Amino acid sequence: MASEKHVYIIDDDRTSCDSIAALLSAAGFRTRSFATGHQFIREVPLLAHGCIVSDVSMPEMDGIALLTQLKTLRLRFPVVFLTGHGDIKMAVHAIKSGAADFVEKPYDDETILAAVRRAQEELDKDNESDELVKVAAKRISALSSREYEVLEHLVAGQPNKAIAYDLAISPRTVEFHRSHLMAKMQAASLSELVRLALLAGLKIDI
């Protein structure tokens, strides 16, 4: 059916695959699971258009390699990555490379559902890209110089204590600026902040 929404789950952890599949199926999505990125790429010519939920760190083909393959094949499947704390830099790199979103572990059901719904919406929103760029640029221009510095460090994957050390300020002050810049950028999560920063043209060195 044309109205069906497909989600492809890629994770070498079968328990994780089954859990996410059950959650998304209950929310009305058609799901199919794959143990590796290679398996998905082999079968993708036969698959209906949809989005992908994938672990960012996997053997053989990690998240970045998966995105590269999709680009090479000229396939537009928005990708939501699942990432552990130690994989934040890779996840940010993935966003910069074209991923739709990333969700940090441990995550709750609503966080995954919200990310997948946003990814599905991207399939029909190509024409809104220019407007989003303008909005992001306007928001980032409203930041103070210190807020902009904190933003640069945040999207590079640094925790508050590291930012405080680099900028010679207290962690409490970092949290203060972080709260204000998130409000000014109208970002509800770190992944949303990264997307807005990239749309606005912020250069990120990973």
Side-chain angles (χ1 to χ4, degrees):
M1 295 174 59
S3 61
E4 288 181 332
K5 296 181 179 180
H6 296 263
V7 181
Y8 304 104
I9 305 159
I10 307 173
D11 197 329
D12 57 341
D13 183 336
R14 182 59 182 270
T15 300
S16 178
C17 270
D18 290 347
S19 175
I20 296 170
L23 171 66
L24 295 177
S25 295
F29 294 99
R30 290 283 304 271
T31 67
R32 184 171 173 183
S33 299
F34 299 85
T36 67
H38 286 300
Q39 182 187 1
F40 174 80
I41 292 298
R42 283 196 303 269
E43 299 188 35
V44 73
L46 303 176
L47 301 178
H49 208 192
C51 74
I52 298 169
V53 174
S54 174
D55 193 346
V56 73
S57 294
M58 292 187 295
E60 300 180 26
M61 179 182 287
D62 64 18
I64 304 302
L66 175 63
L67 287 173
T68 300
Q69 279 289 87
L70 290 173
K71 286 183 178 180
T72 299
L73 297 172
R74 298 176 183 246
L75 296 173
R76 190 168 185 279
F77 282 70
V79 182
V80 174
F81 282 118
L82 306 179
T83 176
H85 179 71
D87 300 323
I88 291 296
K89 286 190 175 182
M90 183 187 290
V92 172
H93 190 181
I95 290 278
K96 189 175 182 181
S97 299
D101 209 338
F102 70 85
V103 176
E104 293 181 72
K105 301 174 184 177
Y107 47 79
D108 57 44
D109 291 354
E110 283 306 313
T111 301
I112 286 284
L113 286 172
V116 169
R117 286 168 179 149
R118 285 194 298 268
Q120 285 285 348
E121 289 172 0
E122 284 192 16
L123 295 174
D124 302 316
K125 290 188 175 180
D126 287 345
N127 293 334
E128 295 182 6
S129 295
D130 289 344
E131 186 60 31
L132 287 174
V133 170
K134 293 177 183 177
V135 169
K138 183 177 181 180
R139 291 177 187 175
I140 208 169
S141 69
L143 300 180
S144 69
S145 57
R146 179 62 86 187
E147 288 166 349
Y148 188 87
E149 288 178 323
V150 172
L151 172 64
E152 289 181 306
H153 285 72
L154 279 174
V155 298
Q158 288 189 282
N160 287 357
K161 287 185 178 179
I163 298 172
Y165 179 82
D166 286 349
L167 299 181
I169 57 179
S170 71
R172 181 183 288 265
T173 301
V174 172
E175 186 58 42
F176 174 81
H177 288 306
R178 177 172 178 163
S179 175
H180 276 254
L181 76 88
M182 291 283 284
K184 288 183 179 180
M185 293 295 290
Q186 298 180 40
S189 66
L190 179 58
S191 62
E192 187 175 357
L193 183 68
V194 170
R195 289 199 309 277
L196 288 168
L198 292 173
L199 282 171
L202 183 67
K203 302 299 182 183
I204 301 175
D205 296 322
I206 299 299

